[in-house]
Amino acid sequence: MRIDVVTIFGEYLQPLSLSLIGKAQAQGLLEVRVRDLREHTRDRHRTVDDTPYGGGAGLLMKPEPWGEALDAVLADPPAALTADAAERGPVLLVPSPVGEVFSQRLAVELAAEPWLVFACGRYEGIDARVVEHYRTRIRVREVSLGDYVLNGGEVAVLAITEAVARLLPGVVGNAASLTEESHAAEHDGLLEHPAYTKPASWRGLEVPAVLSSGHHGAVERWRRDEALRRTARRRPDLLARLDPSRCDAADLAVLAAEGWVPAAGGFRPAAAAVAD
Ligand code: 6GU
């Protein structure tokens, strides 16, 4: 996979050369190219920002450097693209608090792409015509990390690149660990169960006995129960989207004890007791 990042803070992306993602690059599984937006300015001050039409606080990024930088990226595609992939071009990802919320599902989707391009805004964002223009040429996704505000897109590039690159074949040694973790579709999008290692007793806290029972079926049942309970208590929004047809009688009993009953396309809280 090739990832191009356009930013005014290339140093911000240095962590991508560390750890598993750095190793993936060294192994040739991933190539990250960082391009300085200011290289595509033409004035002496290398200006990338200006005041917003209509007034208001803060500065916006001007469209011209973005057009030149992104055109330069598009003019230099990865060598190994199929004719079809070359025709489709990259997915342009624009980190923004007004984007769709990034998810494991989108990470899986992006991991199937050979080429991603990130456009990192700073200040109050990028002139809206940049996204409007590139939507006519390539696929564009505005993506948010969640409901809070960051100063720019670079942290989102780190997060999204890590979530996507670890799904590429060969990046994470044990492929099973990818399907067993929180949010994995194979686990119905539930949170992962708690996990323990040695010692069996630590500061008076014991590892649940079932995990040492050697009874594989009982271990799996306990893990599923814990995943359901945790999800019900911490992330009821995820339970609302759990498919009841993927649940057995034991699942339904755990969820009923947590106050959740099957409903069309998911679960809903059991009717609350009516106060008198
Ligand atoms: Cl992707 N960018 C910015 N600037 N703020 C954010 C965000 C992204 N996601 C959440 N807040």
Side-chain angles (χ1 to χ4, degrees):
M1 170 180 282
R2 212 302 278 276
I3 298 183
D4 290 89
V5 186
V6 183
T7 171
I8 58 170
F9 289 121
E11 305 93 311
Y12 226 123
L13 301 167
Q14 281 171 4
L16 293 176
S17 41
L18 301 174
S19 187
L20 240 43
I21 305 306
K23 211 163 108 197
Q25 290 196 73
Q27 292 174 321
L29 302 171
L30 173 70
E31 181 187 1
V32 179
R33 292 188 182 181
V34 178
R35 181 180 286 268
D36 183 358
L37 179 68
R38 287 195 205 274
E39 297 293 310
H40 298 277
T41 57
R42 290 161 185 265
D43 64 311
R44 203 157 51 84
H45 300 290
R46 312 220 298 168
T47 309
V48 295
D49 56 342
D50 207 338
T51 53
Y53 277 107
L59 295 170
L60 275 174
M61 291 187 118
K62 299 162 61 59
E64 305 98 310
W66 278 108
E68 301 211 1
L70 292 172
D71 285 353
V73 170
L74 295 183
D76 188 12
L81 290 186
T82 64
D84 182 54
E87 178 63 30
R88 278 156 69 80
V91 176
L92 176 60
L93 295 161
V94 184
S96 162
V98 303
E100 61 181 305
V101 176
F102 185 63
S103 62
Q104 190 65 24
R105 178 193 297 245
L106 182 51
V108 168
E109 205 178 302
L110 295 175
E113 294 285 338
W115 188 14
L116 304 176
V117 178
F118 286 99
C120 290
R122 281 267 146 183
Y123 316 111
E124 300 303 308
I126 304 172
D127 184 302
R129 291 168 293 184
V130 173
V131 162
E132 188 182 338
H133 169 79
Y134 284 98
R135 278 198 200 287
T136 68
R137 296 175 55 185
I138 55 175
R139 293 165 292 160
V140 179
R141 315 274 298 245
E142 293 182 88
V143 180
S144 167
L145 290 190
D147 295 337
Y148 47 86
V149 177
L150 302 169
N151 285 331
E154 287 78 7
V155 166
V157 172
L158 294 177
I160 294 169
T161 298
E162 183 159 315
V164 170
R166 63 193 295 284
L167 299 176
L168 300 176
V171 173
V172 168
N174 180 0
S177 61
L178 296 177
T179 58
E180 288 176 5
E181 62 203 2
S182 293
H183 305 295
E186 294 80 355
H187 276 207
D188 303 321
L190 298 174
L191 300 184
E192 200 176 11
H193 55 79
Y196 305 86
T197 184
K198 289 173 276 300
S201 178
W202 180 74
R203 298 194 178 181
L205 300 172
E206 311 301 324
V207 173
V210 61
L211 298 178
S212 310
S213 68
H215 188 328
H216 179 71
V219 169
E220 287 310 303
R221 186 65 253 168
W222 181 87
R223 287 177 169 169
R224 175 82 175 176
D225 290 354
E226 290 295 315
L228 289 163
R229 268 191 213 108
R230 253 189 174 180
T231 307
R233 292 176 190 182
R234 299 179 181 189
R235 293 293 305 275
D237 57 309
L238 297 179
L239 262 199
R241 287 181 268 140
L242 173 63
D243 181 357
S245 76
R246 302 260 318 161
C247 294
D248 64 16
D251 292 341
L252 295 177
V254 170
L255 292 174
E258 294 293 322
W260 289 81
V261 295
F267 281 77
R268 62 167 175 77
V274 178
D276 50 298

